[in-house]
């Protein structure tokens, strides 16, 4: 004990002795972070910071719950996620419903702050690669514009903040008008276009074409009905009653000038690059068109399809081939197949197509599908627009090999969402329906599954033991064509509109349109609907065209398929789709077991949450709530 005291006393004495040697060891650096000075003095570290700004993009549209399920494209299979709060119109500042689908106000501003830090620091950065510095600055301008465009299209005009706040700054700032937001975003994009011109194009990173494409979208939205105050007020008493309409729309100015700006921005993209297979002079065959649209959906991220279809992508979310099987359920990205595939493959049927989407795919001759037509009703999946087969899995559709434990039930690898006579007075439930013997709680409620964006590679059998790397298309070339068509129609240039629409239709195996006037506009709206299905456009298009009451407001229709034995026929065991053995009946019914949809004009915009209103000292206003 005494010896221990002497040792302790010696250490304390040593600690009090002045040290005359070098004191640099006191200037230690943290091991788990990098200083700001170091970050902006090194090109690789500065690039890593900007990559972190990209991180706020998340999985793109490959989240477990999809925006399609807030539209007349799909419904979300699983209850209790707050989706119905949005689709049933009960959302409010105090209850905004599901927070995974809609980009949240605070999350977008966190991303904007990161972009603002980069834009503040890059001009004074000391690394000597000017090309990299310009590229990173251009990317930061693009990303700030992208996050502001998200704020604008979900919430309306937002507070415009172009520099990171310090601790002692005044945080009080009112929302900018919608017009001011458009000007701010397009200014950022013009800078990005200038700085990114001639720079290397890297999948997953912004390029000059990314910025040009986003500018086309922003200006197309800005010219639309919802964003023109007089038009919006005439179409909606709710919007007409807003005391602060300027937060969500232009209240003055020349709308034709806005359409001309949108047309010019879109044409600049069309002149700068080309898409995929848009040079046909007549419709492709149905088989070729189906393969083309599978390739477009894969975006070069699958062993199946033509990798050249990547040329459609102007800005995408790439995914890594690295995969670690998770103990918790997957959330998105590489798990798109698990989230949305059939339960007969041990998948979860997340965002399943509804009948209204299926019905809007035309017949191959260009006529509308019609349930009152006996031939159509008897074989509703035959002779349809090839984009349907590339987008939707329906009863009898061929799909991937079944997992080993399911192959004995379905050795033919066909989707089964119906009920089939067993020859003894009973029925065989389809392995992919909600009465399936395989995880019935994950069965589709609509009679369909989405195929688009799920890798059809047969080596990815159940999507559980490996993962897909299909990219998410934030912006693709064909969207810009459609923007150009819309502006051309608005400005009366119908010949140009038909010319570009028919490029898309020929690629899809569909005949040329010859319509004009109101009919041409309706054809365009439907063409955009089926071309961009599941790409997060329908939610915004229905609102900006102010037709959401006719889309979401229609509720949900679903399909019931039944098969009875033909006279004298012997049932297929195991069951297989066979029109020589079975008579199939297709019945469209209302969905009544998951959500009841409605429309209220306040739903044109998402409410800003009560927490954000309180945090910003009531300077944030919620039009319509």
């Amino acid at each position: 004990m005494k010896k221990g005291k002497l040792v302790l006393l010696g250490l304390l004495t040593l600690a009090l002795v002045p040290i005359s040697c070098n004191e640099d060891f006191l200037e230690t650096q943290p091991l788990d972070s990098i200083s700001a000075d170091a970050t902006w003095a090194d090109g690789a570290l500065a690039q890593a910071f900007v990559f972190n700004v990209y991180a706020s993009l998340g999985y793109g549209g490959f989240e477990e719950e999809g925006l399609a399920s807030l539209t007349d494209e799909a419904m979300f299979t699983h209850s209790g996620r707050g989706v119905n709060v949005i689709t049933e119109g009960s959302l409010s500042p105090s209850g905004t419903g599901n927070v995974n689908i809609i980009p949240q106000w605070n999350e977008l501003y966190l991303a904007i702050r990161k972009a603002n830090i980069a834009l503040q620091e890059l001009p004074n950065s000391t690394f000597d690669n000017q090309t990299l510095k310009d590229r990173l600055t251009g990317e930061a301008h693009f990303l700030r514009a992208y996050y502001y465009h998200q704020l604008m299209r979900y919430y309306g005009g937002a507070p415009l903040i172009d520099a990171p706040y310090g601790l002692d700054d005044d945080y009080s700032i009112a929302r900018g008008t919608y017009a001011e937001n458009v000007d701010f975003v397009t200014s950022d994009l013009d800078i990005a276009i200038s700085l990114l011109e001639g720079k290397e194009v890297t999948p997953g990173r912004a390029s000059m074409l990314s910025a040009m494409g986003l500018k086309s979208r922003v200006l197309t939205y800005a010219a639309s009905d919802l964003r023109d105050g007089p038009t919006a007020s005439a179409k909606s008493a709710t919007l007409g009653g807003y005391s602060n309409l300027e937060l969500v729309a232009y209240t003055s100015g020349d709308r034709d000038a806005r359409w001309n700006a949108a047309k010019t921005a879109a044409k600049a993209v069309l002149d700068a690059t080309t898409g995929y297979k848009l040079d046909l002079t007549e419709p492709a065959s149905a088989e070729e068109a189906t393969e083309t649209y599978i390739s477009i959906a894969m975006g070069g991220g699958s062993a199946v399809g033509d990798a050249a279809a990547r040329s459609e992508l102007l800005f995408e979310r790439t995914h890594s081939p690295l995969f670690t099987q998770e103990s918790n359920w997957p959330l998105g990205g590489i798990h798109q197949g698990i989230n949305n595939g059939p339960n007969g493959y041990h998948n979860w049927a997340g965002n399943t197509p509804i009948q209204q989407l299926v019905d809007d795919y035309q017949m191959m001759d260009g006529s509308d599908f019609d349930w009152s037509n006996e031939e159509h009703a008897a074989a509703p999946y035959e002779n349809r627009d090839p984009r349907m087969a590339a987008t939707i899995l329906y009863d009898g559709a061929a799909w991937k090999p079944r997992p080993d434990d399911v192959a004995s039930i379905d050795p033919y690898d066909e989707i089964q969402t119906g009920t089939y006579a067993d020859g003894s007075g009973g029925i065989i439930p389809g392995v992919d329906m909600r009465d399936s013997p395989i995880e019935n709680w994950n069965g589709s409620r609509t009679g369909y599954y989405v195929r688009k964006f799920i890798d059809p590679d047969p080596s990815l059998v159940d999507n559980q033991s490996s993962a897909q790397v299909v990219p998410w298309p934030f912006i693709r070339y064909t969207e810009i064509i459609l923007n150009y068509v819309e502006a051309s129609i608005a400005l009366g240039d119908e010949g140009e509109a038909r010319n570009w629409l028919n490029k898309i239709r020929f690629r899809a195996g569909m005949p040329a349109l010859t319509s004009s006037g109101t009919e041409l506009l309706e054809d365009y709206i439907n063409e955009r609907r089926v071309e961009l299905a599941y790409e997060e456009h329908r939610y915004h298009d229905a609102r900006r065209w102010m037709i959401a009451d006719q889309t979401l407001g229609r509720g949900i229709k679903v399909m019931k398929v039944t098969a009875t034995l033909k006279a004298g026929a012997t049932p297929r065991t195991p069951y297989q789709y066979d029109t020589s053995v079975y008579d199939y009946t297709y019945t469209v019914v209302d969905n009544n077991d998951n959500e009841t949809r409605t429309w209220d004009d306040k739903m044109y915009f998402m409410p800003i949450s009560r927490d954000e209103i309180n945090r910003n000292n009531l300077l944030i206003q919620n039009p319509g709530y």
Side-chain angles (χ1 to χ4, degrees), residues 508-586:
M510 298 297 290
L513 292 171
T514 59
S515 53
S516 61
T518 301
E519 185 181 354
L520 176 60
L521 179 60
E522 291 173 352
D523 285 340
Y524 162 73
I525 288 172
N526 196 69
E527 192 70 19
R528 186 174 177 111
R529 168 159 166 72
V530 299
E531 175 72 25
L532 301 180
Y534 275 82
E535 295 184 33
E536 295 199 329
H537 290 281
R538 184 65 170 178
Y539 177 96
H540 301 288
D541 287 344
R543 283 163 171 76
R544 67 187 183 84
W545 295 330
M546 301 189 73
I547 62 168
D549 61 325
Q550 305 160 43
T551 61
L552 186 72
R554 289 189 290 173
I556 297 173
K557 300 286 187 182
V558 302
M559 171 56 67
K560 301 295 182 184
V561 179
T562 57
T564 55
L565 282 172
K566 291 180 180 290
T570 301
R572 300 293 302 263
T573 306
Y575 168 77
Q576 182 182 23
Y577 177 82
D578 190 337
T579 56
S580 68
V581 173
Y582 299 95
D583 288 319
Y584 291 88
T585 302
Y586 303 89

Side-chain angles (χ1 to χ4, degrees), residues 225-249:
D225 284 359
L226 182 63
R227 303 305 185 173
D228 183 68
T231 303
S233 297
K235 287 191 170 187
S236 167
T238 299
L239 296 180
Y242 282 4
S243 60
N244 48 5
L245 188 61
E246 71 279 356
L247 293 180
V248 295

Side-chain angles (χ1 to χ4, degrees), residues 282-283 365-366 498 501-503 505-506 509-515:
E282 60 183 15
D365 63 3
R498 283 190 296 270
L501 268 180
N502 290 333
K503 290 177 185 289
R505 286 177 65 83
F506 285 173
M510 298 297 290
L513 292 171
T514 59
S515 53

Side-chain angles (χ1 to χ4, degrees), residues 19-59:
I19 299 174
S20 59
C21 61
N22 193 328
E23 298 181 2
D24 287 349
F25 77 92
L26 296 175
E27 301 297 325
T28 60
Q29 296 292 329
L31 300 179
D32 60 348
S33 60
I34 300 171
S35 71
D37 288 343
T39 298
W40 305 110
D42 183 282
L45 294 177
Q47 180 168 263
F49 186 96
V50 173
F51 285 174
N52 192 41
V53 187
Y54 280 97
S56 294
L57 293 169
Y59 293 121

Side-chain angles (χ1 to χ4, degrees), residues 288-581:
E288 180 185 358
T290 301
E291 292 303 314
T292 290
Y293 273 86
I294 291 171
S295 296
I296 290 173
M298 293 302 97
S302 170
V304 174
D306 183 2
R310 244 210 102 256
S311 60
E312 273 282 305
L313 300 174
L314 302 184
F315 183 50
E316 76 246 47
R317 168 63 157 90
T318 57
H319 294 99
S320 168
L322 300 177
F323 174 69
T324 301
Q325 196 161 359
E326 299 177 9
S327 58
N328 200 357
W329 66 38
L331 299 177
I334 59 177
H335 304 298
Q336 179 73 359
I338 301 174
N339 288 335
N340 293 284
N343 59 314
Y345 290 81
H346 301 300
N347 301 151
W348 303 341
N351 304 276
T352 55
I354 64 176
Q355 191 65 46
Q356 287 95 328
L357 174 61
V358 179
D359 288 349
D360 281 347
Y361 288 91
Q362 293 179 327
M363 305 300 293
M364 281 289 290
D365 63 3
S367 63
D368 291 339
F369 176 82
D370 185 357
W371 281 107
S372 64
N373 182 308
E374 291 184 2
E375 291 185 6
H376 293 185
Y381 309 129
E382 294 181 9
N383 200 32
R384 299 291 291 277
D385 181 333
R387 286 172 291 194
M388 188 185 82
T391 303
I392 295 168
L393 292 172
Y394 46 82
D395 185 71
W399 193 223
K400 298 193 288 187
R402 294 283 183 179
D404 290 342
D405 63 326
V406 187
S408 61
I409 303 174
D410 171 34
Y412 307 108
D413 308 327
E414 297 173 343
I415 298 300
Q416 297 181 5
T417 56
T419 56
Y420 320 110
D422 66 0
S424 301
I427 62 168
I428 301 169
V431 72
D432 302 307
M433 64 178 301
R434 289 192 73 79
D435 290 332
S436 168
I438 307 297
E439 299 157 22
N440 57 6
W441 61 90
N442 284 330
S444 171
R445 297 176 189 270
T446 68
Y448 299 104
Y449 291 91
V450 63
R451 173 177 179 156
K452 191 173 186 177
F453 298 132
I454 297 181
D455 194 337
D457 185 344
S459 68
L460 302 177
V461 177
D462 61 3
N463 306 303
Q464 297 276 5
S465 57
S466 55
Q468 65 177 55
V469 292
V470 174
W472 170 257
F474 284 114
I475 307 171
R476 72 176 172 99
Y477 184 79
T478 304
E479 177 202 342
I480 311 307
I481 294 179
L482 292 164
N483 294 347
Y484 182 68
V485 168
E486 187 170 340
S488 296
I489 292 173
L491 294 168
D493 195 351
E494 294 188 347
E496 187 75 343
R498 283 190 296 270
N499 175 48
W500 283 93
L501 268 180
N502 290 333
K503 290 177 185 289
I504 300 171
R505 286 177 65 83
F506 285 173
R507 179 177 69 183
M510 298 297 290
L513 292 171
T514 59
S515 53
S516 61
T518 301
E519 185 181 354
L520 176 60
L521 179 60
E522 291 173 352
D523 285 340
Y524 162 73
I525 288 172
N526 196 69
E527 192 70 19
R528 186 174 177 111
R529 168 159 166 72
V530 299
E531 175 72 25
L532 301 180
Y534 275 82
E535 295 184 33
E536 295 199 329
H537 290 281
R538 184 65 170 178
Y539 177 96
H540 301 288
D541 287 344
R543 283 163 171 76
R544 67 187 183 84
W545 295 330
M546 301 189 73
I547 62 168
D549 61 325
Q550 305 160 43
T551 61
L552 186 72
R554 289 189 290 173
I556 297 173
K557 300 286 187 182
V558 302
M559 171 56 67
K560 301 295 182 184
V561 179
T562 57
T564 55
L565 282 172
K566 291 180 180 290
T570 301
R572 300 293 302 263
T573 306
Y575 168 77
Q576 182 182 23
Y577 177 82
D578 190 337
T579 56
S580 68
V581 173

